[in-house]
């Protein structure tokens, strides 16, 4: 059992990574239904919360069925982060997470996200300010370092633990790598095996199959694994991993019926949370992922991205189900690619 503050996670937990413009309530709902053990919101600007920006406040929406869930904030100013932590407190999540890992310029080059990796003393002060401003368990998500010459994650882990964080998730790349190359889990293992470290350590980066999950669990000894890009369009990865860890057997790929049902469920929740126009428009990018591997699906997909009513979309999805009834979708490697043009996930 893994403990984070008063949160208890059974077995080897699978965490859904916080992803900008991805990890919203509709997406989290389908991941939770398929076995995600702990989830996080999209990252939220501390300055936005303080200014009462509508978009930032909207990201605070969480629901009982999502629990346990953490709200993630980012920023580069101690007072702003402390005030944001007090605002988050009111929404009653299970934990509060600080983003020290987002590598994109609009965040990192403004001294937040992975940009804080340039100044470890500042990272410690920011974390300390948050810990002292909330009664929630505070966790951190970060990277190995700013670049190849500053892979200081071992020092970071010790110092953040000393100021009171309750868990640490580490992405196995530096900021300068962005999402290129292969994630290096060897330093994550060094943090986990450090005799000074007693908080849970979660590994993140390139996990795209049940087999790889078990391999990395055994090789690197982490307390759990955080999954991001591999869950986009494939929330079934959580249930597949859990099943494989219990039985050693691979589940068959989700059926066409399951893919259509998840598409409908995601659509309904998207419209419910975002409203009709935005909900339908933002759902369009998901269809190609949910229906990937179906031959000739482009014709249906082109229709799905032009429709403006829920009933119309669901009618086309019903056509998809009928057209491909009995078709067995072959298991294919999940392609780990950047998903959002403004913030790589």
């Amino acid at each position: 059992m893994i403990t984070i503050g008063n949160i208890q996670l059974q077995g080897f937990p699978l965490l859904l990574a916080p992803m900008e413009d991805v990890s919203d309530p509709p997406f989290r709902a389908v991941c939770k239904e398929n076995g995600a053990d702990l989830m996080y919101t999209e990252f939220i600007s501390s300055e936005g919360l303080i200014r009462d920006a509508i978009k930032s406040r909207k990201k605070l929406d969480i629901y009982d069925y999502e629990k346990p869930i953490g709200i993630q904030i980012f920023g580069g100013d101690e007072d702003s982060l402390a005030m944001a932590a007090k605002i988050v407190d009111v929404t009653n999540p299970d934990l509060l997470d600080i983003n020290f890992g987002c590598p994109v310029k609009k965040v990192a080059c403004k001294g937040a996200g992975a940009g804080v990796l340039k100044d470890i003393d500042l990272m410690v002060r920011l974390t300390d300010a948050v810990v002292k401003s909330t009664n929630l368990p505070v966790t951190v998500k970060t990277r190995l370092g700013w670049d190849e010459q500053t892979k200081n994650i071992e020092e970071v882990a010790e110092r953040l633990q000393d100021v009171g964080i309750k868990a640490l998730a580490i992405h196995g790349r530096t900021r300068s790598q962005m999402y290129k190359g292969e994630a290096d889990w060897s330093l994550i293992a060094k943090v986990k095996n450090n005799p000074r470290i007693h908080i849970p350590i979660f590994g993140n980066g390139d996990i795209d199959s049940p087999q790889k999950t078990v391999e990395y669990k055994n090789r690197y000894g982490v307390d759990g694994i955080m999954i991001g890009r591999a869950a986009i369009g494939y929330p079934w990865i959580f249930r597949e991993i859990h099943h494989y860890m219990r039985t050693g057997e691979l589940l068959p790929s989700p059926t066409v019926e399951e893919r259509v049902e998840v598409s409908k469920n995601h659509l309904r929740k998207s419209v419910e949370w975002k409203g009709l126009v935005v909900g339908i428009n933002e759902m369009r990018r998901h269809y190609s992922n949910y229906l990937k591997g179906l031959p000739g699906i482009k014709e249906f997909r082109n229709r799905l991205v032009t429709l403006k009513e829920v009933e119309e979309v669901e009618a086309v999805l019903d056509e998809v189900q009928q057209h491909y009834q009995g078709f067995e979708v072959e298991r294919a490697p999940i392609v780990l690619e950047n998903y959002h043009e403004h913030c790589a996930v």
Side-chain angles (χ1 to χ4, degrees):
M1 182 178 293
I2 303 300
T3 301
I4 306 173
N6 57 358
I7 303 170
Q8 293 186 331
L9 303 173
Q10 301 294 328
F12 186 77
L14 305 178
L15 287 61
L16 173 64
M19 295 179 282
E20 173 69 352
D21 282 348
V22 177
S23 300
D24 57 19
F27 180 73
R28 296 197 305 263
V30 297
C31 289
K32 185 69 175 182
E33 289 170 0
N34 281 280
D37 296 300
L38 173 62
M39 305 187 297
Y40 300 82
T41 63
E42 305 168 76
F43 68 11
I44 306 172
S45 163
S46 57
E47 299 290 344
L49 282 181
I50 294 169
R51 294 195 309 269
D52 204 24
I54 294 174
K55 185 176 181 180
S56 295
R57 289 279 179 163
K58 183 70 172 172
K59 290 180 180 179
L60 290 174
D61 288 354
I62 56 175
Y63 300 91
D64 287 342
Y65 63 79
E66 298 183 281
K67 289 181 172 290
I69 186 166
I71 289 176
Q72 188 186 73
I73 59 175
F74 74 95
D77 177 79
E78 293 171 57
D79 291 337
S80 295
L81 275 174
M83 292 175 64
K86 293 182 183 297
I87 294 170
V88 168
D89 257 359
V90 179
T91 65
N92 196 33
D94 297 283
L95 61 85
L96 192 161
D97 190 75
I98 310 173
N99 183 310
F100 290 139
C102 181
V104 298
K105 288 184 179 180
K106 69 175 184 178
V107 175
C109 293
K110 293 182 179 179
V116 184
L117 286 165
K118 289 182 176 181
D119 187 342
I120 303 307
D121 289 340
L122 173 61
M123 181 187 287
V124 173
R125 293 198 303 272
L126 293 172
T127 304
D128 186 50
V130 172
V131 170
K132 289 177 177 176
S133 299
T134 179
N135 293 318
L136 296 168
V138 175
T139 63
V140 164
K141 184 174 188 289
T142 190
R143 289 180 167 236
L144 301 179
W146 177 259
D147 54 27
E148 286 297 311
Q149 288 69 48
T150 58
K151 290 184 176 180
N152 43 27
I153 188 61
E154 293 179 84
E155 175 191 352
V156 165
E158 289 188 3
R159 295 184 65 183
L160 295 188
Q161 177 180 267
D162 288 346
V163 295
I165 70 167
K166 301 302 182 184
L168 178 65
I170 306 170
H171 183 96
R173 290 182 175 88
T174 63
R175 186 272 168 181
S176 63
Q177 283 182 272
M178 300 294 285
Y179 291 89
K180 297 176 182 177
E182 190 172 330
D184 177 9
W185 284 58
S186 61
L187 282 177
I188 303 177
K190 283 188 177 181
V191 173
K192 174 58 190 172
N193 294 323
N194 181 341
R196 276 208 61 208
I197 296 297
H198 55 77
I199 59 175
I201 302 297
F202 302 114
N204 175 230
D206 295 352
I207 295 298
D208 58 1
S209 69
Q211 301 95 313
K212 198 168 189 178
T213 301
V214 172
E215 176 191 350
Y216 278 37
K217 171 183 180 291
N218 295 336
R219 183 189 301 180
Y220 300 109
V222 291
D223 295 296
I225 280 179
M226 179 177 280
I227 297 173
R229 292 173 292 165
I232 298 173
Y234 205 85
W236 304 279
I237 191 170
F238 297 102
R239 76 173 188 187
E240 289 181 358
I241 292 172
H242 279 308
H243 181 82
Y244 185 74
M245 293 183 69
R246 286 194 309 268
T247 68
E249 299 175 351
L250 290 172
L251 284 173
S253 296
T255 64
V256 174
E257 290 76 14
E258 288 177 296
R259 293 168 185 267
V260 167
E261 184 56 36
V262 166
S263 297
K264 287 182 178 180
N265 189 18
H266 195 163
L267 170 64
R268 293 167 190 149
K269 291 183 179 298
S270 182
V271 170
E272 180 182 351
W273 188 62
K274 302 175 184 179
L276 180 63
V277 175
V278 177
I280 285 183
N281 289 346
E282 293 193 357
M283 185 63 197
R284 289 171 177 171
R285 62 190 178 189
H286 291 283
Y287 298 126
S288 60
N289 292 299
Y290 284 135
L291 305 176
K292 188 181 298 182
L294 297 175
I297 194 63
K298 183 177 180 180
E299 177 187 345
F300 290 102
R301 191 172 67 240
N302 288 345
R303 292 168 60 193
L304 287 168
V305 299
T306 62
L307 301 174
K308 299 180 179 180
E309 298 292 337
V310 172
E311 294 78 12
E312 295 174 334
V313 174
E314 291 190 340
V316 174
L317 288 171
D318 287 338
E319 286 184 47
V320 170
Q321 181 171 326
Q322 184 176 5
H323 182 80
Y324 293 96
Q325 190 170 20
F327 182 85
E328 293 186 9
V329 184
E330 293 185 10
R331 177 183 297 277
I334 296 171
V335 179
L336 296 179
E337 57 189 11
N338 289 341
Y339 188 70
H340 189 261
E341 60 180 343
H342 301 302
C343 187
V345 298

